[in-house]
Amino acid sequence: MTRLVKIGEAKTHLSALLAEVEAGEDLVICRGSKPIAHVTRIDRAQEVGDLRETLRRERARQQTVTTPEILSWRHEGHQR
């Protein structure tokens, strides 16, 4: 069953609502009467496996990074 929840209630009772989602209930968070988000439980075994494979593929595509490159990023964006 899908439960409709207003933003204020979601903010106030987030932990309890997430426990309900873990138990299998779907939530739709609404702004007024307009649905804006659907919260559902993740099928852990399938999702984690898919994510693991995606990360492995992406990692294999990346070039190796050297220590000097990492050190040069350390202060990137900081004013000197």
Side-chain angles (χ1 to χ4, degrees):
M1 184 174 142
T2 301
R3 179 172 167 197
L4 300 178
V5 178
K6 293 193 177 190
I7 292 174
E9 181 183 354
K11 287 172 35 178
T12 303
H13 303 288
L14 183 60
S15 294
L17 292 171
L18 290 177
E20 292 176 21
V21 169
E22 285 179 318
E25 185 167 358
D26 287 349
L27 298 177
V28 174
I29 299 175
C30 302
R31 179 176 283 124
S33 61
K34 181 181 176 187
I36 59 171
H38 180 226
V39 183
T40 187
R41 185 176 66 161
I42 294 175
D43 178 11
R44 296 293 298 168
Q46 181 65 37
E47 293 289 327
V48 170
D50 291 347
L51 179 58
R52 184 180 301 123
E53 290 306 313
T54 299
L55 289 172
R56 285 182 178 151
R57 271 195 315 275
E58 290 300 317
R59 194 177 302 147
R61 290 181 32 191
Q62 300 297 318
Q63 296 178 354
T64 56
V65 178
T66 64
T67 300
E69 286 177 305
I70 294 171
L71 292 174
S72 74
W73 299 336
R74 188 173 191 182
H75 297 290
E76 189 173 294
H78 293 167
Q79 294 180 357
R80 292 184 181 174

